[in-house]
Amino acid sequence: MSCSLVDTFTKMLPGSIQITGETLSGAEIKDICDSLKENSVRLLSIRGCQLSDRDFGRVCRGVAESHSLAQLNMNLGVVSTISRTKHLADALKTNRSIQTLFLHGSPLLDAGLVTLNTALSTHPSLVSLDLGDCMLGDEALRLICAMLPPDGAKSACPTGLRELTLSANPSITTKGWARLAIAVAHSSQLRVLNLDYNPLGDQIAGMLAVAVASSRTLEVLDLEGTGLTNQSAQVFLEMVENYPTCLRVLVLAENAISPELQQQISDLLSEGEEEDDKEGEARGSAAIPTREKTAWIPHSNSHPQMVLLTSGLGESLLAETEM
């Protein structure tokens, strides 16, 4: 493989370097770093790629110097050691442009989140974070909750997360999920929350239903494969039926929930969307939209306003462009 690999991807998608599952040579790393330093890259994805520790450090220095990079994908084990985590943390402390960071499938553990915490929580632009399958526990979740500041709260996090993915982190306990539910209920920014493939069960789902009912912003909640039953679905049904909510997408696939209950919830969410559309039309084209038009693509690419029956893990922002 030659350095033309980077050139090929850049030509196919201008402003984008996306490479999956390759062993990257020193020449290819140099091309990536040069592009970052030239501020010609908005999206860098090296998911599942093999590179030396030295080259990983070089990429991180390029990330630090870039003023154009908006999305960084290091999914599938690229950030594999605490040393690499420190390199990434140093890069994020200097970088000011990244809006979306994917670390899905990285063995960070709580220690890794402690290392990254200052860089993540003080980053001026970060609004979307994927920490799915990162072997996180309650201490990591405590730090993440601080990135969901409530209205009027003094916080080190300048913007607050709008999209958060915590899929497949089974070491988080009920106490940790309860802390998250409280943070979600009061968060002034969060729009999308992906918790799929965690062993939540009905008790934690009940806490999340209360959080959804309290939240003024949450639009997407992914609970696929989280051990729920009709008991949870009934709580969500009563919530969307009887309380005003911003929720537009609820993913309940791969749970022990009847198709009838899923359809009822889907219908109610659809009705809410239709009412919002009618209100917008009545106010005229100059009216302010009822919900913020966000820059990210939700976790699933299926039609919104329904109980989704299919999913993908983690690649929400890159789903449209990943090679």
Side-chain angles (χ1 to χ4, degrees):
M1 187 187 303
S2 70
C3 62
S4 63
L5 175 68
V6 174
D7 296 333
T8 298
F9 279 101
T10 303
K11 289 175 183 176
M12 292 174 68
L13 290 164
S16 166
I17 298 174
Q18 300 185 67
I19 310 169
T20 298
E22 300 285 350
T23 298
L24 299 178
S25 68
E28 289 159 357
I29 294 297
K30 182 180 184 301
D31 279 357
I32 291 172
C33 292
D34 288 346
S35 295
L36 288 169
K37 292 174 183 178
E38 291 167 1
N39 295 311
S40 61
V41 179
R42 285 188 52 78
L43 188 160
L44 172 61
S45 174
I46 53 172
R47 60 195 296 271
C49 288
Q50 301 293 318
L51 64 164
S52 68
D53 288 343
R54 177 176 176 272
D55 284 343
F56 183 86
R58 292 169 64 193
V59 171
C60 285
R61 288 191 290 275
V63 168
E65 295 180 28
S66 175
H67 301 295
S68 63
L69 188 64
Q71 299 181 32
L72 176 61
N73 185 328
M74 292 184 167
N75 280 358
L76 305 182
V78 176
V79 186
S80 55
T81 64
I82 194 66
S83 174
R84 292 192 177 195
T85 305
K86 290 176 180 176
H87 279 302
L88 179 59
D90 289 342
L92 293 172
K93 287 176 184 176
T94 303
N95 176 278
R96 317 316 276 166
S97 62
I98 290 176
Q99 299 172 26
T100 301
L101 177 63
F102 293 98
L103 297 175
H104 204 108
S106 303
L108 297 178
L109 301 169
D110 285 3
L113 246 291
V114 171
T115 300
L116 288 169
N117 180 56
T118 299
L120 294 176
S121 62
T122 61
H123 196 285
S125 302
L126 186 68
V127 293
S128 180
L129 180 61
D130 186 340
L131 295 172
D133 194 18
C134 285
M135 304 172 68
L136 305 181
D138 288 358
E139 175 60 16
L141 195 55
R142 183 184 67 81
L143 298 175
I144 292 165
C145 287
M147 301 176 205
L148 305 174
D151 282 326
K154 292 182 179 180
S155 172
C157 190
T159 55
L161 294 177
R162 298 184 182 183
E163 178 173 359
L164 174 61
T165 295
L166 292 171
S167 315
N169 281 293
S171 295
I172 298 173
T173 70
T174 299
K175 179 181 178 181
W177 293 123
R179 179 181 282 121
L180 179 66
I182 294 170
V184 170
H186 295 285
S187 172
S188 59
Q189 299 292 333
L190 192 66
R191 303 294 195 271
V192 179
L193 179 60
N194 301 310
L195 301 179
D196 45 311
Y197 298 102
N198 285 297
L200 302 181
D202 290 329
Q203 180 182 3
I204 296 169
M207 298 179 192
L208 292 170
V210 174
V212 171
S214 301
S215 171
R216 295 187 293 173
T217 59
L218 192 68
E219 298 181 7
V220 179
L221 178 60
D222 187 346
L223 297 176
E224 178 173 358
T226 51
L228 308 189
T229 70
N230 283 344
Q231 178 181 331
S232 298
Q234 190 65 47
V235 171
F236 278 106
L237 176 63
E238 293 175 4
M239 184 267 294
V240 297
E241 188 172 29
N242 297 312
Y243 298 93
T245 175
C246 294
L247 193 67
R248 296 292 173 262
V249 177
L250 179 61
V251 186
L252 294 174
E254 296 191 31
N255 287 297
I257 297 173
S258 71
E260 291 78 15
L261 271 176
Q262 294 192 45
Q263 188 61 52
Q264 284 180 276
I265 298 171
S266 173
D267 291 344
L268 286 169
L269 292 177
S270 297
E271 288 173 9
E273 179 70 10
E274 290 170 1
E275 289 174 3
D276 285 347
D277 290 343
K278 290 177 181 178
E279 289 175 5
E281 292 173 2
R283 285 193 296 268
S285 58
I288 299 173
T290 57
R291 296 188 310 281
E292 178 183 354
K293 296 296 183 182
T294 55
W296 64 84
I297 301 167
H299 185 53
S300 170
N301 293 323
S302 302
H303 190 277
Q305 296 88 53
M306 64 187 299
V307 182
L308 300 177
L309 302 180
T310 60
S311 77
L313 278 177
E315 303 298 319
S316 56
L317 277 170
L318 301 182
E320 294 291 321
T321 55
E322 192 70 74
M323 294 297 172

